[in-house]
């Protein structure tokens, strides 16, 4: 009998947590089949032009949540290096372990958002010159969070306008760059 009661308690903890999260993040996350997914950006007072990195967070909940921590996964990291992702994963696991037995989704999202806000500069290579984009560099960000040095993009646009070959990039980034080339 106590097993059924514990299952109901665990389910109600998660249900209550999701209700609370919907009031804080209306329409910003999806919960289906025991999995919570949310794209998280740095806190920039709603100015999406200042959001230079992002990450799709997935939390997969075991049946005995909150007694056991969820599995944490990252998808579609934008502007983050592997080194940053490894450190971030450690931070999120530490937060989940610290709060084991409690509702943790809000806390994990909060730690993630704080990290993204502190690190809100792309830590990636420019696809044209293959050098890291560094603090102080002027860069171009596509709608899909691909980056290149502004100087390199200008040179590339000049090259294509003079009849040079187009470099293949993702479809969304290609649209952004093609709009620049057509000006």
């Amino acid at each position: 009998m106590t097993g059924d009661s514990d299952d109901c308690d665990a389910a109600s903890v998660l249900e209550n947590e999701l209700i609370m999260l919907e009031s804080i993040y209306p329409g910003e996350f999806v919960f289906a089949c025991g999995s919570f997914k949310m794209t998280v950006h740095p806190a920039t007072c709603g100015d999406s032009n200042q959001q230079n990195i992002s990450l799709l967070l997935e939390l997969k909940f075991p049946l005995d949540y909150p007694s056991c921590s969820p599995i944490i996964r990252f998808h579609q990291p934008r502007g983050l290096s592997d080194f940053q992702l490894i450190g971030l994963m450690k931070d999120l696991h530490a937060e989940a372990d610290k709060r084991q037995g409690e509702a943790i989704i809000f806390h994990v999202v909060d730690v993630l958002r704080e990290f993204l806000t502190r690190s809100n500069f792309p830590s990636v290579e420019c696809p044209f010159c293959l050098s890291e984009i560094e603090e102080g560099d002027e860069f171009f960000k596509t709608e899909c969070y691909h980056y290149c040095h502004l100087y390199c993009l200008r040179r590339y646009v000049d090259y294509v306008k003079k009849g040079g070959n187009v470099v293949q990039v993702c479809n969304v980034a290609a649209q952004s760059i093609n709009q620049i080339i057509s000006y």
Side-chain angles (χ1 to χ4, degrees):
M1 275 310 229
T2 56
D4 290 342
S5 169
D6 290 346
D7 289 348
C8 288
D9 290 344
S12 68
V13 166
L14 185 55
E15 185 178 327
N16 289 338
E17 188 173 11
L18 292 170
I19 290 168
M20 185 263 312
L21 287 167
E22 185 58 39
S23 69
I24 297 170
Y25 305 114
E28 293 185 40
F29 67 88
V30 174
F31 186 82
C33 302
S35 181
F36 171 92
K37 292 183 180 180
M38 179 177 179
T39 299
V40 183
H41 297 87
T44 58
C45 298
D47 185 355
S48 62
N49 291 328
Q50 296 301 315
Q51 296 172 340
N52 295 313
I53 56 180
S54 71
L55 178 69
L56 175 61
L57 172 68
E58 178 183 14
L59 302 174
K60 185 80 173 160
F61 293 93
L63 294 175
D64 50 355
Y65 173 80
S67 297
C68 289
S69 297
I71 297 168
I72 301 171
R73 294 185 180 133
F74 297 151
H75 304 280
Q76 303 168 346
R78 300 292 188 239
L80 296 162
S81 69
D82 290 341
F83 179 75
Q84 288 174 307
L85 292 171
I86 290 167
L88 178 57
M89 185 63 80
K90 287 179 184 176
D91 291 349
L92 295 184
H93 277 289
E95 184 69 20
D97 291 345
K98 178 175 85 174
R99 296 184 180 279
Q100 194 166 352
E102 309 173 17
I104 66 154
I105 301 173
F106 173 80
H107 300 288
V108 169
V109 169
D110 193 46
V111 168
L112 173 55
R113 189 175 311 272
E114 285 178 19
F115 177 88
L116 294 177
T117 301
R118 279 192 321 271
S119 307
N120 191 19
F121 191 86
S123 181
V124 295
E125 284 184 352
C126 171
F128 299 113
C129 70
L130 303 179
S131 295
E132 280 286 314
I133 295 175
E134 297 178 2
E135 199 81 39
D137 289 351
E138 289 185 318
F139 63 89
F140 178 78
K141 174 181 81 170
T142 66
E143 203 177 300
C144 54
Y145 290 84
H146 285 101
Y147 304 90
C148 61
H149 291 109
L150 197 52
Y151 173 78
C152 294
L153 177 61
R154 286 184 186 129
R155 290 188 56 174
Y156 172 71
V157 168
D158 289 344
Y159 169 76
V160 170
K161 284 184 174 181
K162 292 176 182 173
N165 295 331
V166 175
V167 175
Q168 180 60 36
V169 291
C170 89
N171 291 335
V172 177
Q175 290 172 351
S176 297
I177 294 171
N178 285 339
Q179 288 175 349
I180 293 169
I181 291 171
S182 65
Y183 284 127

